[in-house]
Amino acid sequence: MSKPINDSTYWRDFEKNDITHSAAHYLMAIDALRGEFGYARVTDVAEMLEVSRGAASMSISQLKKRGWVAEDPHRFLLLTDEGHQMAVLVEQNFRILSKFFEEVLGVSPETALSDACKMEHLMSLETGRRLVWLMRYILSDESRAAKIHDVMSRFRPGCESVDHCPLCDGGECLTPLGEDCEYHKGAQGKAKKS
Amino acid sequence: MSKPINDSTYWRDFEKNDITHSAAHYLMAIDALRGEFGYARVTDVAEMLEVSRGAASMSISQLKKRGWVAEDPHRFLLLTDEGHQMAVLVEQNFRILSKFFEEVLGVSPETALSDACKMEHLMSLETGRRLVWLMRYILSDESRAAKIHDVMSRFRPGCESVDHCPLCDGGECLTPLGEDCEYHKGAQGKAKKS
DNA sequence: TCTCTTTGTTTAGCATAGCAAACTTATGTT
DNA sequence: AACATAAGTTTGCTATGCTAAACAAAGAGA
């Protein structure tokens, strides 16, 4: 059985991502400041993100070089079309992920927001669109949404299916730590050991 | 309306994550090499991850300092209990995410693997468990799984619900770029502009 | 034993990304 | 004009994490 996780073909995609976590938040901060106050300066961005003016200055100058940030006639910071597109994409991913975690999975708000914030800049457009699609299907129907919410509200670490796990059936075990499934606790002996 | 995405309370959680993407892959490589060949050396890890021996040497010495990697009596690399736990957690998240993306959302295999690889070390245990729980619910029932697969197989960028979006209703728009929903294209004028 | 290869470490340089502090360049007030 | 404050940049430092190259050490064969 192949183990794609150990394949070196794409593990470094992480470094080659379109945008870094930090850059995304600089863009979103500029976007938010202009939306709220009508302008954004280096100092305002630094204050919002709680970084030093020096750090903000350096990061923003890189964003200017990349063509994501410019200055308006009053020398205030401005997102270019491309920069705005990036900001909106990441904001969109954040909302999709946090809504999915909170309203579908029933994850606690703090964890949902923290997880979504970490992953927002990494989720592809394709995956994001399909996640919206799934949520649209699940949440648009009253009884379907209620059923999912009922199922997820009963979540606890511990699974009843001991004889046969319908999820991992045939494939690699999804809970090798055996934390939430009696079946996997028993099956752990079969797992690889190093 | 509050915008948690612009709140500086947790955006830097990204830096303070338990494990980095790179570290996770070093641990998983050692785990995989020992599982496959019974031993792991710096050179083997470097080869598997396609990094220089120097880079592997430096990274692994940091992992030793953190108590995640040790050496066996033959001086081969070894994961400590804590290191193994970390590796298994990340591997587990990878399998959960890639399976969800591919088998539930219907994302293309390449994108599913790439996205999962980028997010594997960032998803919390709570979110991961609940995602397994959701998949267990969706995929355990034949007709339910078939229905979801049918819905997702019809995915395309473009949404029929023009008058009313059941997903974003009342909250912030999840597709502000208006790419896959006629409703949002029309509503875009209402969105913030910077 | 001597030499060559393999293995592993170290060093210098690069990029991101932060802090603190020094410095420059406004702006604004007396 | 002179000074003080505010705003922005630059420098020296930290850390991760990579490359390339130099270097040290260990093993294997003639």
Side-chain angles (χ1 to χ4, degrees):
Chain A
M1 194 184 295
S2 74
K3 295 187 178 186
I5 198 170
N6 297 318
D7 192 319
S8 65
T9 315
Y10 57 87
W11 82 271
R12 286 218 252 171
D13 287 1
F14 189 78
E15 299 162 26
K16 292 167 193 70
N17 207 51
D18 287 341
I19 190 169
T20 65
H21 178 77
S22 174
H25 279 272
Y26 278 99
L27 295 183
M28 292 190 292
I30 293 169
D31 204 29
L33 285 165
R34 285 195 73 96
E36 200 169 345
F37 305 111
Y39 66 90
R41 297 167 306 170
V42 169
T43 302
D44 303 319
V45 173
E47 215 166 277
M48 172 168 266
L49 296 181
E50 289 181 354
V51 296
S52 67
R53 277 177 307 156
S57 178
M58 296 291 282
S59 293
I60 288 167
S61 74
Q62 284 305 108
L63 296 175
K64 284 177 181 170
K65 277 183 194 160
R66 281 186 214 182
W68 287 343
V69 171
E71 284 179 7
D72 68 14
H74 302 285
R75 301 188 43 76
F76 289 131
L77 296 173
L78 187 74
L79 296 186
T80 62
D81 285 348
E82 207 190 329
H84 188 251
Q85 193 91 348
M86 292 301 301
V88 168
L89 261 172
V90 175
E91 284 165 15
Q92 181 176 312
N93 274 349
F94 175 77
R95 282 191 286 267
I96 292 169
L97 285 167
S98 56
K99 190 183 178 88
F100 175 69
F101 293 157
E102 243 184 286
E103 295 183 27
V104 177
L105 297 187
V107 173
S108 67
E110 312 82 57
T111 307
L113 295 177
S114 179
D115 279 17
C117 181
K118 288 177 184 172
M119 315 200 299
E120 69 197 359
H121 66 298
L122 298 168
M123 183 169 65
S124 65
L125 194 56
E126 184 190 352
T127 302
R129 279 165 162 175
R130 284 180 175 275
L131 193 49
V132 171
W133 196 252
L134 178 73
M135 284 198 279
R136 201 163 276 166
Y137 170 70
I138 289 177
L139 300 176
S140 62
D141 183 84
E142 282 278 330
S143 65
R144 198 153 45 216
K147 178 64 185 158
I148 291 270
H149 288 148
D150 180 58
V151 167
M152 294 309 298
S153 72
R154 292 185 197 179
F155 167 80
R156 80 228 170 289
C159 163
E160 294 144 309
S161 174
V162 181
D163 295 339
H164 172 71
C165 175
L167 182 60
C168 313
D169 179 45
E172 283 182 279
C173 179
L174 294 186
T175 56
L177 291 180
E179 281 179 17
D180 61 349
C181 185
E182 285 299 320
Y183 172 75
H184 295 110
K185 261 182 199 160
Q188 219 177 353
K190 300 190 298 184
K192 64 181 170 303
K193 44 196 169 287
S194 66
Chain B
M1 193 184 296
S2 73
K3 295 188 177 185
I5 197 169
N6 297 319
D7 191 320
S8 65
T9 314
Y10 56 87
W11 82 270
R12 285 218 252 170
D13 287 2
F14 189 78
E15 300 162 25
K16 291 166 193 71
N17 208 50
D18 287 342
I19 190 168
T20 65
H21 179 76
S22 175
H25 279 271
Y26 277 100
L27 295 183
M28 292 190 291
I30 293 169
D31 204 30
L33 285 165
R34 286 195 72 95
E36 200 169 344
F37 305 110
Y39 66 91
R41 297 167 306 169
V42 170
T43 302
D44 303 319
V45 173
E47 215 165 276
M48 172 169 266
L49 297 181
E50 288 181 355
V51 296
S52 68
R53 278 176 307 156
S57 178
M58 297 291 283
S59 293
I60 287 167
S61 72
Q62 284 305 108
L63 296 174
K64 284 177 181 169
K65 277 183 193 160
R66 282 187 214 180
W68 287 343
V69 170
E71 285 180 5
D72 69 14
H74 302 284
R75 300 187 46 76
F76 288 131
L77 296 173
L78 188 73
L79 296 186
T80 63
D81 284 348
E82 207 190 330
H84 187 251
Q85 193 91 349
M86 293 300 303
V88 168
L89 261 171
V90 175
E91 284 166 15
Q92 182 176 313
N93 274 349
F94 175 78
R95 282 192 287 268
I96 292 168
L97 285 167
S98 56
K99 189 183 180 87
F100 175 69
F101 294 156
E102 243 185 285
E103 294 184 26
V104 177
L105 298 187
V107 173
S108 67
E110 312 82 58
T111 306
L113 295 178
S114 179
D115 280 17
C117 181
K118 288 177 185 172
M119 316 198 317
E120 69 197 358
H121 66 298
L122 298 167
M123 183 169 65
S124 65
L125 194 56
E126 184 190 352
T127 302
R129 279 164 163 176
R130 284 181 175 274
L131 193 49
V132 171
W133 196 251
L134 178 73
M135 284 198 279
R136 201 163 275 165
Y137 169 71
I138 289 177
L139 300 177
S140 63
D141 183 84
E142 283 278 331
S143 65
R144 197 153 45 216
K147 178 65 185 158
I148 291 269
H149 288 148
D150 180 57
V151 167
M152 295 309 299
S153 72
R154 291 184 198 179
F155 168 80
R156 80 225 171 289
C159 161
E160 293 144 306
S161 174
V162 181
D163 295 338
H164 172 74
C165 175
L167 181 60
C168 312
D169 180 45
E172 284 182 280
C173 178
L174 295 186
T175 56
L177 290 181
E179 282 180 17
D180 60 351
C181 185
E182 284 300 318
Y183 173 75
H184 294 111
K185 261 182 197 159
Q188 219 176 354
K190 299 189 299 183
K192 63 181 172 303
K193 43 196 171 290
S194 67

